[in-house]
Amino acid sequence: MTQLRHLTILLLTTIVALSSCDKQEDIDRSYTDYRYDIVTYLGDNATGAVFEYLGHGDSTAITLQSSASVDKDIKANQRVLLRYNYADNTTGSDRAIDLYSCSSIMNDSLRQTTLPPDSLPRQRVKLRSLWRTGEFINLHCQVEYTRKARTFMLVADGNTLNQDTVDCYLVHDLMGERATFWRDCYASFNVGALWKRSTFHCLRIHLNDVVYPNNEFYDFNKQ
């Protein structure tokens, strides 16, 4: 099996408190009118930070241009959680945006193993959303908080790689640490190497989800 990296998972909690006021215009637009999307940070140009947004499925990419820069710890081609809004009402493949926040999330590529699926650590999660944008499988869930690093990755069953349906498992291991409260987690996995295979037609993701325990897997089919 590919060596498991111990990855510190980014746990995001967003709490927005709005003070009451008499006039609607006193409320900052960034608190009332915004979007949350997982996008790819492409780097900076002379204007500011540039991102690539992909809609669900195989939607055409849209370039998002900000006049602000992002934290230096965020590297080019990294997947991030972006809070923003369009700066105008124009349409097209290039859009100017007002950038409100840019947060690192879990980034990884699909891994593979020949170990039996039952032997893989699959600590429970609370699923919020699971969707595909282009070559990325994106995940929003809640996980139990610990103070230490954990293993968190999407792993394909190597015994199914040449089949029409490839079984993949969310491997989640707390490494023996004591879990406490639940917190939000965002992740994005690049599955492009698998998605481009001509023999492949369905990516099946198995989750240990306590919200929908009867849904043992979710299918993503190629058109």
Side-chain angles (χ1 to χ4, degrees), residues 56-178:
H56 283 250
D58 297 307
S59 302
T60 302
I62 297 176
T63 300
L64 307 177
Q65 175 69 66
S66 168
S67 59
S69 296
V70 300
D71 192 289
K72 293 182 179 179
D73 291 335
I74 299 177
K75 306 301 181 184
N77 298 317
Q78 184 175 336
R79 300 283 282 170
V80 296
L81 180 65
L82 197 67
R83 189 167 74 89
Y84 70 102
N85 204 357
Y86 295 119
D88 51 49
N89 293 322
T90 61
T91 60
S93 59
D94 294 277
R95 300 289 304 270
I97 64 169
D98 295 321
L99 174 60
Y100 301 138
S101 67
C102 178
S103 304
S104 297
I105 64 173
M106 171 63 197
N107 283 252
D108 202 11
S109 295
L110 179 67
R111 299 162 181 265
Q112 70 177 71
T113 182
T114 56
L115 291 176
D118 290 344
S119 70
L120 300 175
R122 297 172 59 203
Q123 183 72 26
R124 61 184 185 169
V125 300
K126 288 184 177 181
L127 181 64
R128 291 294 178 259
S129 185
L130 182 69
W131 71 104
R132 181 179 70 85
T133 55
E135 297 181 354
F136 297 96
I137 294 293
N138 307 294
L139 171 66
H140 175 202
C141 66
Q142 288 188 323
V143 297
E144 293 169 290
Y145 176 76
T146 70
R147 294 181 178 273
K148 299 292 182 66
R150 69 185 69 197
T151 299
F152 195 85
M153 59 183 67
L154 188 63
V155 177
D157 180 355
N159 298 310
T160 67
L161 283 178
N162 295 319
Q163 298 179 10
D164 178 84
T165 298
V166 177
D167 289 295
C168 300
Y169 297 84
L170 183 65
V171 172
H172 182 204
D173 190 355
L174 299 183
M175 310 302 295
E177 293 297 318
R178 185 175 69 88

Side-chain angles (χ1 to χ4, degrees), residues 15-66:
I15 300 175
V16 178
L18 299 179
S19 300
S20 61
C21 59
D22 295 330
K23 297 182 179 180
Q24 182 67 30
E25 57 267 27
D26 290 339
I27 302 178
D28 192 305
R29 179 170 176 262
S30 66
Y31 292 121
T32 61
D33 191 8
Y34 60 84
R35 299 169 55 99
Y36 264 126
D37 285 311
I38 294 179
V39 301
T40 303
Y41 169 57
L42 300 180
D44 277 20
N45 58 17
T47 302
V50 183
F51 306 89
E52 182 183 68
Y53 165 81
L54 292 169
H56 283 250
D58 297 307
S59 302
T60 302
I62 297 176
T63 300
L64 307 177
Q65 175 69 66
S66 168

